[in-house]
Amino acid sequence: MSISLPQFLRRTPVPALTAAIYATRTRFAALEPIFRAAFDYGLVYPWRALAAFAPEKVFSDFIEAVLGAIYIDTNGDLKACMAILRRFGVLEWVETALKNNVQIRHPKEEVDRLAGHKKVRYHVWIEDVDDHDPGPMEELVDAG
């Protein structure tokens, strides 16, 4: 039986939380093929799709709270934390990314690294994302 993260959060009948869960699941369903392909076969982290996904902060807060509770309850047993990360599917992707030498540095961080001490100016715009292609999400850079 598979249990998804939002199923743990539905126990609280808070309208805003219910709406956030629905919106996040809807966005994920549209972008899931992109994430699956990137995580299974890609050599570059799917930053554009992740930006379009824009998960609600409550999800990262939940994972942080669960990991913190496990860490404290097990007196700092990192194997227990890694087990829950594996169950959430995070650890498997990290292992795959390391094995495949996936480029995970954010594009802005990479531009800053390449620019060195040169001044960099960013112009950012985001366009709509369809079900199969994150579409253009451009960061234009002026280095001077």
Side-chain angles (χ1 to χ4, degrees):
M1 180 169 93
S2 177
I3 298 174
S4 66
L5 181 60
Q7 289 174 302
F8 290 103
L9 300 174
R10 277 196 295 209
R11 306 290 184 238
T12 308
V14 177
L17 182 57
T18 302
I21 291 168
Y22 177 78
T24 301
R25 290 182 98 172
T26 300
R27 287 190 307 269
F28 181 76
L31 294 165
E32 184 176 14
I34 296 168
F35 287 132
R36 293 273 176 231
F39 292 152
D40 291 345
Y41 312 108
L43 298 177
V44 177
Y45 190 82
W47 288 109
R48 285 189 284 174
L50 185 62
F53 176 40
E56 303 292 336
K57 187 168 179 335
V58 67
F59 293 106
S60 62
D61 291 346
F62 177 79
I63 294 199
E64 182 180 347
V66 168
L67 284 173
I70 290 170
Y71 183 81
I72 290 169
D73 287 352
T74 62
N75 294 316
D77 183 1
L78 292 179
K79 287 183 182 178
C81 293
M82 290 176 69
I84 196 68
L85 288 173
R86 185 170 304 284
R87 181 145 186 197
F88 284 157
V90 173
L91 196 56
E92 179 184 358
W93 185 82
V94 170
E95 290 168 345
T96 300
L98 289 172
K99 181 181 80 176
N100 295 340
N101 198 27
V102 172
Q103 170 60 291
I104 59 171
R105 184 177 287 140
H106 189 275
K108 182 180 178 294
E109 183 183 344
E110 180 67 10
V111 168
D112 289 342
R113 185 187 71 78
L114 293 171
H117 296 294
K118 293 179 182 177
K119 183 179 177 183
V120 176
R121 186 176 64 189
Y122 294 92
H123 302 272
V124 180
W125 74 87
I126 300 173
E127 295 183 8
D128 290 335
V129 176
D130 70 21
D131 290 352
H132 303 291
D133 179 11
M137 181 175 156
E138 303 290 334
E139 290 190 18
L140 298 181
V141 180
D142 295 327

